Amino acid sequence: MTSLSTSWARIMAPVAGGDADAGVLAAASTLAAPFDAEVAAVYAPADVADLMPWMGEGFMGGVQVTAVQSLKDAAAEGERAARAAFDAVPYQHKAFTPLTSPVWSALAMEGRLSDVVVFDDQTVKGRGPLAETFQQIVADEQRPTLVARKDFKTGGCVAVAWDGGKEASRAMRTALPLLQKAAQVVILAAPASSARYFDPARLQAFLADRGIKSETHAISETGEPAPLLLAAAKRVAANVLVVGAFGHPRLQEFIFGGATRTFLNAADAPSLFLSH
């Protein structure tokens, strides 16, 4: 058996100056601590450039000027609130980066230079100013993402949802540092609910070659795999569930729901480690 240690160096936490910032920063710090990684708090305000199509090309009247100034004032106030939440985090290896227009392109670059991006449970359910950012980070930028839910912690049980597909494979590979820090790793498989043939023992051997001991948990029931996997993760008391995201085209996921939406909207579920 060969132990191949991997690590993370930068954990990104997008913040918007709201009530969710403290929880996101705390979760990012919890994730970063075992690796002595930097927590990169990235403040993403509403972008003034988003108002330009509404204003009309080459024209700024009194209403438009007022709208722009209001947006700038809100961004400044949001930054002060985000900095206060950042300063309150006791984790020492951290940095605060405020973004300016164009906000999305700057945020995307920060994500590309980070190992994992952290969001809170409400944001991934479409609530709050960073809801669209979450979808872009996971689906468009394809960055490894942690959805931190209540009482998130590292070092406990991490479950890996496995169906042998490329999305599940990518999620598992990018989660290897987390798996190496886990006290227990459980491979969850629902072969009766998949049209694809796969052998969980192959993944178990793959992890063993990287110094990760794991056990397999086969789900015999049939039906939609996402609810079955969530129930199994609860049975093994997993703190984190590693899953591939957006296995179908995004439009199809949006229209039909899809497994990703089931994982994101589930109540009383573990934190999620997603990768597309």
Side-chain angles (χ1 to χ4, degrees):
M1 179 180 71
T2 303
S3 178
L4 301 176
S5 180
T6 55
S7 188
W8 289 325
R10 189 175 193 256
I11 307 299
M12 174 176 153
V15 292
D19 295 338
D21 290 353
V24 169
L25 290 167
S29 300
T30 298
L31 183 62
F35 309 98
D36 192 27
E38 178 188 73
V39 171
V42 179
Y43 173 60
D47 198 337
V48 175
D50 293 339
L51 284 178
M52 297 307 174
W54 171 71
M55 290 178 189
E57 192 171 337
F59 174 77
M60 283 189 67
V63 174
Q64 289 89 339
V65 170
T66 300
V68 170
Q69 188 58 49
S70 296
L71 204 58
K72 289 181 177 179
D73 292 344
E77 179 59 33
E79 183 177 340
R80 285 191 289 271
R83 282 186 181 274
F86 170 79
D87 291 339
V89 174
Y91 190 73
Q92 297 302 308
H93 190 184
K94 59 183 181 178
F96 185 91
T97 303
L99 303 182
T100 56
S101 187
V103 172
W104 166 245
S105 62
L107 187 65
M109 182 56 67
E110 292 295 330
R112 292 167 197 164
L113 296 175
S114 302
D115 293 299
V116 182
V117 184
V118 179
F119 290 93
D120 73 302
D121 189 41
Q122 295 305 302
T123 296
V124 307
K125 291 177 178 177
R127 302 165 192 162
L130 296 175
E132 185 176 353
T133 295
F134 163 74
Q135 294 186 22
Q136 291 172 317
I137 286 289
V138 175
D140 297 336
E141 288 296 309
Q142 301 182 1
R143 301 307 303 139
T145 300
L146 174 73
V147 177
R149 288 173 167 151
K150 185 179 178 181
D151 300 325
F152 164 71
K153 63 180 180 180
T154 58
C157 175
V158 177
V160 180
W162 183 248
D163 65 359
K166 63 180 181 180
E167 290 81 14
S169 175
R170 178 176 172 81
M172 175 274 298
R173 287 175 176 274
T174 52
L176 282 175
L178 186 64
L179 299 180
Q180 290 174 332
K181 297 294 183 181
Q184 180 186 17
V185 175
V186 181
I187 300 167
L188 302 179
S193 297
S194 175
R196 179 187 293 113
Y197 171 78
F198 60 96
D199 182 0
R202 296 289 304 278
L203 175 57
Q204 193 173 25
F206 175 92
L207 295 176
D209 286 342
R210 286 149 183 81
I212 301 169
K213 294 182 179 179
S214 64
E215 57 188 89
T216 60
H217 182 97
I219 302 167
S220 59
E221 296 94 333
T222 59
E224 290 297 322
L228 295 175
L229 291 165
L230 285 167
K234 188 174 182 178
R235 285 196 296 272
V236 300
N239 301 315
V240 181
L241 176 61
V242 178
V243 295
F246 297 106
H248 300 287
R250 289 185 65 195
L251 179 61
Q252 182 177 337
E253 285 271 1
F254 178 77
I255 295 172
F256 298 107
T260 303
R261 191 166 298 278
T262 300
F263 287 124
L264 296 179
N265 290 333
D268 191 27
S271 296
L272 299 174
F273 186 92
L274 302 171
S275 188
H276 171 49

